[in-house]
Amino acid sequence: MTKMGFYFDQKKCVGCRTCQTACKDKNDLEVGHLFRNVTTYQQGNYPDAILYHYAATCNHCEKPACVAGCPNGAMYIDDEDGTVQHDDTKCIGCQYCVEACPYGVPVHIESIGLTHKCDACKQLRANGEQPACVAACPMRALEFGPIEELAAKHPDAVKDLPILPSSETTAPCTLIDAKAAALDENFTEVIL
């Protein structure tokens, strides 16, 4: 099995949220629900403040806490590409996956009584396309592919940032080309 994952070039990201909008549109998500969420942070203070953005979605972890926490097997690792998928027919809406994920990825949708999350646009990929977020990014800050190939292509990319939980817990398959400011422990989330 080739394990698939995301690469995020934080140095290219301008925080436009096009990836977020494309994902929301592709998944026909209700107001208040996101599978990809762009958050802005500030390091330092005026007049020397530096802003940076983080485009978060499911990390399709090697040791996903959501899968371990799901009592019905609704969250599972796909045998073909290693992405973390969700089976609506097995989901009982218990939200254990929501509570288990240290990244806050799974979203409980009350109107249907189920939990959903990013599936790395499995259907689009089956048709030879890229995930909606990757295809939509005007700065080409996102890539999706075999995680080993992404790591070889981007050897300076990291898995850990001060804004994120430690990668040791779940072994996320997301690589980040981080801005220097994003590696600083002193940050503040900015609401735009």
Side-chain angles (χ1 to χ4, degrees):
M1 168 183 65
T2 300
K3 182 74 171 155
M4 304 294 276
F6 283 101
Y7 165 75
F8 171 55
D9 189 340
Q10 194 173 49
K11 295 173 183 174
K12 289 182 179 177
C13 180
V14 295
C16 67
R17 291 168 171 71
T18 303
C19 58
Q20 180 176 297
T21 303
C23 174
K24 189 170 183 69
D25 181 56
K26 184 260 174 203
N27 290 291
D28 196 26
L29 297 174
E30 301 172 7
V31 172
H33 298 306
L34 297 170
F35 291 169
R36 181 171 281 281
N37 187 17
V38 178
T39 309
T40 302
Y41 297 90
Q42 173 181 310
Q43 185 271 322
N45 295 307
Y46 176 83
D48 300 315
I50 299 171
L51 290 180
Y52 60 92
H53 314 283
Y54 187 70
T57 192
C58 180
N59 295 301
H60 299 284
C61 302
E62 292 182 42
K63 303 181 293 187
C66 62
V67 171
C70 181
N72 268 20
M75 289 286 188
Y76 65 97
I77 297 174
D78 186 275
D79 291 334
E80 293 177 18
D81 64 11
T83 58
V84 178
Q85 298 294 321
H86 181 266
D87 183 344
D88 281 2
T89 65
K90 293 181 179 179
C91 183
I92 58 174
C94 67
Q95 301 182 56
Y96 286 162
C97 59
V98 175
E99 297 298 322
C101 177
Y103 297 96
V105 168
V107 177
H108 182 71
I109 303 174
E110 287 187 32
S111 63
I112 60 173
L114 300 173
T115 301
H116 283 172
K117 58 172 260 336
C118 163
D119 64 359
C121 292
K122 188 172 175 125
Q123 187 175 2
L124 289 178
R125 292 185 293 115
N127 292 328
E129 299 177 54
Q130 285 288 315
C133 59
V134 174
C137 179
M139 302 307 293
R140 299 297 172 241
L142 293 169
E143 293 177 30
F144 184 81
I147 197 68
E148 289 182 9
E149 289 180 22
L150 291 173
K153 184 178 175 184
H154 306 286
D156 295 331
V158 298
K159 288 189 175 192
D160 288 296
L161 294 177
I163 60 169
L164 300 173
S166 171
S167 65
E168 291 180 15
T169 306
T170 63
C173 288
T174 297
L175 299 171
I176 308 145
D177 190 355
K179 280 189 164 183
L183 298 172
D184 192 308
E185 297 278 340
N186 300 313
F187 62 87
T188 305
E189 184 175 344
V190 177
I191 306 299
L192 297 177

